[in-house]
mmCIF file of all heavy atoms in Angstrom:
data_model
loop_
_atom_site.group_PDB
_atom_site.id
_atom_site.type_symbol
_atom_site.label_atom_id
_atom_site.label_comp_id
_atom_site.label_asym_id
_atom_site.label_seq_id
_atom_site.Cartn_x
_atom_site.Cartn_y
_atom_site.Cartn_z
ATOM 1 N N LEU J 69 86.789 92.585 114.606
ATOM 2 C CA LEU J 69 86.198 91.964 113.357
ATOM 3 C C LEU J 69 84.684 92.282 113.409
ATOM 4 O O LEU J 69 83.911 92.092 114.331
ATOM 5 C CB LEU J 69 86.401 90.571 113.275
ATOM 6 C CG LEU J 69 87.716 89.887 113.431
ATOM 7 C CD1 LEU J 69 87.766 88.370 113.344
ATOM 8 C CD2 LEU J 69 88.513 90.446 112.187
ATOM 9 N N LEU J 70 84.173 92.648 112.203
ATOM 10 C CA LEU J 70 82.793 93.060 111.900
ATOM 11 C C LEU J 70 82.353 92.314 110.624
ATOM 12 O O LEU J 70 83.198 92.103 109.780
ATOM 13 C CB LEU J 70 82.589 94.531 111.894
ATOM 14 C CG LEU J 70 82.937 95.390 112.980
ATOM 15 C CD1 LEU J 70 83.120 96.737 112.678
ATOM 16 C CD2 LEU J 70 81.934 95.162 114.105
ATOM 17 N N GLU J 71 80.974 92.091 110.520
ATOM 18 C CA GLU J 71 80.469 91.726 109.242
ATOM 19 C C GLU J 71 79.302 92.585 108.905
ATOM 20 O O GLU J 71 78.354 92.546 109.602
ATOM 21 C CB GLU J 71 80.043 90.241 109.345
ATOM 22 C CG GLU J 71 81.309 89.320 109.371
ATOM 23 C CD GLU J 71 80.892 87.831 109.140
ATOM 24 O OE1 GLU J 71 79.986 87.592 108.391
ATOM 25 O OE2 GLU J 71 81.552 87.036 109.749
ATOM 26 N N ARG J 72 79.560 93.536 107.964
ATOM 27 C CA ARG J 72 78.459 94.517 107.564
ATOM 28 C C ARG J 72 78.192 95.283 108.849
ATOM 29 O O ARG J 72 76.937 95.616 109.067
ATOM 30 C CB ARG J 72 77.292 93.807 107.009
ATOM 31 C CG ARG J 72 77.584 93.122 105.760
ATOM 32 C CD ARG J 72 76.466 92.576 105.058
ATOM 33 N NE ARG J 72 76.767 91.816 103.947
ATOM 34 C CZ ARG J 72 76.038 91.069 103.155
ATOM 35 N NH1 ARG J 72 74.780 90.918 103.671
ATOM 36 N NH2 ARG J 72 76.459 90.480 102.154
ATOM 37 N N GLY J 73 79.274 95.708 109.560
ATOM 38 C CA GLY J 73 79.010 96.626 110.674
ATOM 39 C C GLY J 73 78.333 95.980 111.925
ATOM 40 O O GLY J 73 78.098 96.681 112.994
ATOM 41 N N SER J 74 78.106 94.691 111.921
ATOM 42 C CA SER J 74 77.587 94.059 113.077
ATOM 43 C C SER J 74 78.393 92.765 113.525
ATOM 44 O O SER J 74 79.434 92.487 112.958
ATOM 45 C CB SER J 74 76.052 93.599 112.813
ATOM 46 O OG SER J 74 76.037 92.655 111.879
ATOM 47 N N ASN J 75 77.979 92.108 114.576
ATOM 48 C CA ASN J 75 78.648 91.062 115.170
ATOM 49 C C ASN J 75 80.153 91.287 115.631
ATOM 50 O O ASN J 75 80.920 90.545 115.169
ATOM 51 C CB ASN J 75 78.511 89.905 114.212
ATOM 52 C CG ASN J 75 78.956 88.529 114.925
ATOM 53 O OD1 ASN J 75 78.843 88.366 116.126
ATOM 54 N ND2 ASN J 75 79.356 87.625 114.080
ATOM 55 N N PRO J 76 80.379 92.326 116.383
ATOM 56 C CA PRO J 76 81.710 92.655 116.711
ATOM 57 C C PRO J 76 82.318 91.663 117.623
ATOM 58 O O PRO J 76 81.656 91.120 118.492
ATOM 59 C CB PRO J 76 81.569 93.958 117.496
ATOM 60 C CG PRO J 76 80.276 93.939 118.012
ATOM 61 C CD PRO J 76 79.452 93.176 117.051
ATOM 62 N N ARG J 77 83.606 91.343 117.361
ATOM 63 C CA ARG J 77 84.306 90.337 118.146
ATOM 64 C C ARG J 77 85.877 90.764 117.937
ATOM 65 O O ARG J 77 86.248 91.160 116.935
ATOM 66 C CB ARG J 77 84.081 88.961 117.861
ATOM 67 C CG ARG J 77 84.393 88.531 116.474
ATOM 68 C CD ARG J 77 83.621 87.260 116.051
ATOM 69 N NE ARG J 77 84.003 86.940 114.766
ATOM 70 C CZ ARG J 77 83.612 87.507 113.611
ATOM 71 N NH1 ARG J 77 82.846 88.509 113.709
ATOM 72 N NH2 ARG J 77 84.006 87.025 112.585
ATOM 73 N N PHE J 78 86.703 90.381 119.021
ATOM 74 C CA PHE J 78 88.104 90.761 118.955
ATOM 75 C C PHE J 78 88.799 89.276 118.693
ATOM 76 O O PHE J 78 88.483 88.290 119.442
ATOM 77 C CB PHE J 78 88.541 91.214 120.286
ATOM 78 C CG PHE J 78 88.166 92.745 120.324
ATOM 79 C CD1 PHE J 78 87.066 93.146 121.185
ATOM 80 C CD2 PHE J 78 88.875 93.760 119.718
ATOM 81 C CE1 PHE J 78 86.672 94.478 121.266
ATOM 82 C CE2 PHE J 78 88.488 95.131 119.811
ATOM 83 C CZ PHE J 78 87.443 95.452 120.560
ATOM 84 N N VAL J 79 89.890 89.424 118.051
ATOM 85 C CA VAL J 79 90.868 88.322 117.916
ATOM 86 C C VAL J 79 92.261 89.024 117.854
ATOM 87 O O VAL J 79 92.402 90.155 117.470
ATOM 88 C CB VAL J 79 90.693 87.411 116.681
ATOM 89 C CG1 VAL J 79 89.359 86.693 116.664
ATOM 90 C CG2 VAL J 79 90.788 88.231 115.423
ATOM 91 N N GLU J 80 93.314 88.198 118.249
ATOM 92 C CA GLU J 80 94.690 88.715 118.083
ATOM 93 C C GLU J 80 95.538 87.558 117.836
ATOM 94 O O GLU J 80 95.294 86.399 118.209
ATOM 95 C CB GLU J 80 95.084 89.478 119.289
ATOM 96 C CG GLU J 80 95.133 88.807 120.603
ATOM 97 C CD GLU J 80 95.453 89.657 121.841
ATOM 98 O OE1 GLU J 80 96.560 90.327 121.671
ATOM 99 O OE2 GLU J 80 94.594 89.866 122.621
ATOM 100 N N GLY J 81 96.762 87.840 117.330
ATOM 101 C CA GLY J 81 97.714 86.862 117.024
ATOM 102 C C GLY J 81 98.314 86.291 118.382
ATOM 103 O O GLY J 81 98.478 86.923 119.374
ATOM 104 N N GLY J 82 98.602 84.960 118.313
ATOM 105 C CA GLY J 82 99.064 84.287 119.489
ATOM 106 C C GLY J 82 99.569 82.880 119.173
ATOM 107 O O GLY J 82 99.623 82.623 118.010
ATOM 108 N N ILE J 83 99.740 82.056 120.190
ATOM 109 C CA ILE J 83 100.105 80.727 120.078
ATOM 110 C C ILE J 83 99.062 79.807 120.300
ATOM 111 O O ILE J 83 98.416 79.856 121.398
ATOM 112 C CB ILE J 83 101.376 80.423 120.878
ATOM 113 C CG1 ILE J 83 102.458 81.356 120.595
ATOM 114 C CG2 ILE J 83 101.985 78.954 120.669
ATOM 115 C CD1 ILE J 83 103.143 81.333 119.248
ATOM 116 N N ALA J 84 98.705 79.015 119.448
ATOM 117 C CA ALA J 84 97.636 77.981 119.693
ATOM 118 C C ALA J 84 98.027 76.858 120.474
ATOM 119 O O ALA J 84 99.312 76.613 120.649
ATOM 120 C CB ALA J 84 97.081 77.494 118.247
ATOM 121 N N PRO J 85 97.219 75.972 121.072
ATOM 122 C CA PRO J 85 97.638 74.779 121.929
ATOM 123 C C PRO J 85 98.529 73.857 121.081
ATOM 124 O O PRO J 85 99.355 73.170 121.794
ATOM 125 C CB PRO J 85 96.211 74.112 122.126
ATOM 126 C CG PRO J 85 95.229 75.170 122.044
ATOM 127 C CD PRO J 85 95.678 76.105 120.990
ATOM 128 N N ASP J 86 98.521 73.875 119.774
ATOM 129 C CA ASP J 86 99.487 72.974 119.037
ATOM 130 C C ASP J 86 100.849 73.622 118.886
ATOM 131 O O ASP J 86 101.800 73.049 118.284
ATOM 132 C CB ASP J 86 98.886 72.578 117.692
ATOM 133 C CG ASP J 86 98.594 73.787 116.721
ATOM 134 O OD1 ASP J 86 99.009 74.917 117.171
ATOM 135 O OD2 ASP J 86 98.090 73.525 115.688
ATOM 136 N N GLY J 87 101.008 74.805 119.391
ATOM 137 C CA GLY J 87 102.262 75.583 119.328
ATOM 138 C C GLY J 87 102.437 76.313 118.038
ATOM 139 O O GLY J 87 103.504 77.017 117.958
ATOM 140 N N GLU J 88 101.481 76.408 117.226
ATOM 141 C CA GLU J 88 101.538 77.222 115.956
ATOM 142 C C GLU J 88 101.093 78.520 116.223
ATOM 143 O O GLU J 88 100.120 78.791 117.090
ATOM 144 C CB GLU J 88 100.742 76.546 114.929
ATOM 145 C CG GLU J 88 101.338 75.103 114.426
ATOM 146 C CD GLU J 88 102.756 75.262 113.700
ATOM 147 O OE1 GLU J 88 102.978 76.169 112.966
ATOM 148 O OE2 GLU J 88 103.554 74.362 114.060
#
Side-chain angles (χ1 to χ4, degrees):
L69 301 178
L70 301 165
E71 289 189 38
R72 296 183 185 169
S74 62
N75 190 25
R77 62 201 181 285
F78 286 101
V79 296
E80 64 184 300
I83 305 298
D86 63 3
E88 296 294 321

